[in-house]
Amino acid sequence: MKPRLDLFIMIDACGWEIIQSRPQFLSTLAPHRRKLESVFGYSSTCVPSILSGRWPDEHHNWCYFIHDPENSPFRSLSWLRFLPKALTCRRIVRRYLTKIVKSALGFKGYFDLYNIPFHLIHLFDFTEKKSPLQPRGMNRGPNIFDLLVEKGVPYFVTDPNLSEPVNRDRLITDIEDERIQFAFQYWAGLDGLLHRVGNQSPEIDTKLAEYEAWITQTMASAKKHYREVNLHVFSDHGMANCDRHLDLRSKIDTLGLRIGKDYNVVYDSTMARFWFFNEAARQKVTAVLQTVPEGRIMPEDELHHFRAHFKDGRYGQLIFLVQEGVLIVPSHMGERPIRAMHGYHPHDPQSYATLFSSRSDIPSDLTHIPHIHRLMESSLARPSLKPTTSSLHALAA
């Protein structure tokens, strides 16, 4: 048997509010649970923060699309604007085009064209060209995989191009072959389910039961091949039901300003990020946003507090954030409503993440999702268990 295996399993969107009413979930395998504060942003922010132990203003992985026409990789896609919108607004068409564009541009991380208009796409750059799930995958600084490579620790990491069951089986195979000492498994299925059905659906219990069965199977295999197995299961954020819809774009369009000349904007699902090219445009947009009761302009001191302020305005010179439960629709993320969303204020009830652990000695100051990196880093610093007499006899034989 190998000395020790450290298992880190991320269940996307398994928020604190979702599991509070489910005390039996992982109560045997990982009985020590904790509420964690998330970071301000989407999974594009949360996952890099977990993997690096740093904050958005440090690792610079925040939102996906930014205004940057000089460095836009999408200029060659301008011909797509001649396709009928009835075709290009269909999600299945966008997914097909996304695969082609990602391959052509050589992007290694998560990529989606979403609903960015093709007649404007040349104004944007995409910020996750590398994969945070790989060494040297951050926009700035190292992540846990850089540390694993540096220390020569054999590890498993989820391949996002493969299904959850396939990744489950690949991890179990690595465990049975005793090839690894560290694993980072990432399951995104619950996130997709919650977007579709909301956070009160009975389908959630079915999905969580499936995950618990997978974790039980993984742990049973690990305990046959490793003398010590440490399990940490965690999430990046929760999920809020969207009961109110806000057509913010139509309010801004009434101003008669020109995108690319006066301003640019990305309408995310829960925030709008603006860049201004003249003061008149800034004043007009600001005045309209101040009349929208469903949200507010994020002040700079608050962005500083959540470590999501970028001095150069790279991710937006003005950030408008909606209230929990409001969905900006239509947006650059989609034309039609979805049942639930995340990416609200970190202090909103449904934003909080979770941590489940088999260990009782989780530090009391582990309170935010970037701190999960401390657990991963400390697992590499802990000495392995000394071989038992029986294992030494087995090695000699």
Side-chain angles (χ1 to χ4, degrees), residues 51-178:
L51 294 175
S52 69
R54 288 172 293 119
W55 302 86
D57 62 0
E58 294 176 299
H59 56 63
H60 277 225
N61 288 75
W62 201 45
C63 297
Y64 286 134
F65 286 96
I66 60 171
H67 173 79
D68 192 353
E70 292 184 4
N71 296 300
S72 175
F74 304 120
R75 287 188 291 269
S76 62
L77 302 182
S78 59
W79 64 271
L80 290 171
R81 63 183 171 178
F82 298 111
L83 295 176
K85 187 177 179 181
L87 178 67
T88 59
C89 73
R90 294 178 62 187
R91 188 68 186 128
I92 190 171
V93 174
R94 286 272 174 161
R95 285 175 180 163
Y96 178 73
L97 290 173
T98 290
K99 290 181 179 179
I100 295 175
V101 172
K102 180 178 181 178
S103 176
L105 296 178
F107 290 173
K108 303 301 181 184
Y110 176 83
F111 174 70
D112 198 318
L113 287 168
Y114 287 111
N115 199 38
I116 300 290
F118 287 129
H119 71 284
L120 299 174
I121 200 167
H122 66 283
L123 298 175
F124 297 99
D125 193 6
F126 191 80
T127 62
E128 193 177 291
K129 298 180 177 69
K130 301 178 288 185
S131 171
L133 291 168
Q134 296 296 323
R136 300 180 299 280
M138 303 293 298
N139 284 345
R140 288 192 181 182
N143 60 23
I144 188 62
F145 305 109
D146 291 297
L147 186 59
L148 288 162
V149 170
E150 176 188 328
K151 291 182 174 292
V153 176
Y155 68 91
F156 167 91
V157 61
T158 293
D159 183 343
N161 297 310
L162 303 176
S163 68
E164 289 184 344
V166 170
N167 275 301
R168 174 203 62 199
D169 293 343
R170 287 177 65 245
L171 172 56
I172 291 175
T173 297
D174 280 356
I175 289 172
E176 291 174 344
D177 292 342
E178 300 179 356

Side-chain angles (χ1 to χ4, degrees), residues 32 46 54-55 59 124 128 207 256 258 329 341 363 393:
H32 308 287
C46 297
R54 288 172 293 119
W55 302 86
H59 56 63
F124 297 99
E128 193 177 291
K207 188 63 177 176
R258 297 165 298 172
V329 61
M341 192 58 209
H393 286 317

Side-chain angles (χ1 to χ4, degrees), residues 166-298:
V166 170
N167 275 301
R168 174 203 62 199
D169 293 343
R170 287 177 65 245
L171 172 56
I172 291 175
T173 297
D174 280 356
I175 289 172
E176 291 174 344
D177 292 342
E178 300 179 356
R179 285 199 290 256
I180 58 173
Q181 297 176 26
F182 179 101
F184 186 91
Q185 182 75 278
Y186 178 10
W187 290 328
L190 180 65
D191 179 84
L193 175 68
L194 291 167
H195 281 308
R196 181 170 55 84
V197 303
N199 62 27
Q200 298 295 324
S201 170
E203 293 184 55
I204 298 171
D205 291 302
T206 302
K207 188 63 177 176
L208 290 177
E210 180 179 56
Y211 282 151
E212 186 158 20
W214 292 359
I215 295 170
T216 300
Q217 181 184 2
T218 303
M219 286 292 288
S221 177
K223 289 179 178 179
K224 292 178 182 178
H225 295 273
Y226 296 83
R227 289 192 297 278
E228 178 187 350
V229 182
N230 298 304
L231 173 66
H232 306 284
V233 181
F234 52 91
S235 65
D236 49 349
H237 52 71
M239 187 76 71
N241 288 342
C242 298
D243 300 316
R244 293 177 289 164
H245 300 150
L246 171 64
D247 184 357
L248 188 60
R249 184 171 67 191
S250 66
K251 297 179 184 295
I252 302 300
D253 286 350
T254 61
L255 296 173
L257 300 172
R258 297 165 298 172
I259 292 180
K261 298 293 184 180
D262 298 308
Y263 78 108
N264 199 2
V265 59
V266 174
Y267 294 107
D268 293 315
S269 299
T270 65
M271 67 176 86
R273 299 177 287 115
F274 292 87
W275 297 262
F276 301 107
F277 312 134
N278 57 68
E279 187 58 29
R282 180 189 292 273
Q283 292 181 5
K284 289 180 179 180
V285 169
T286 300
V288 167
L289 294 176
Q290 288 172 339
T291 69
V292 179
E294 294 91 345
R296 63 188 176 95
I297 297 170
M298 288 288 285

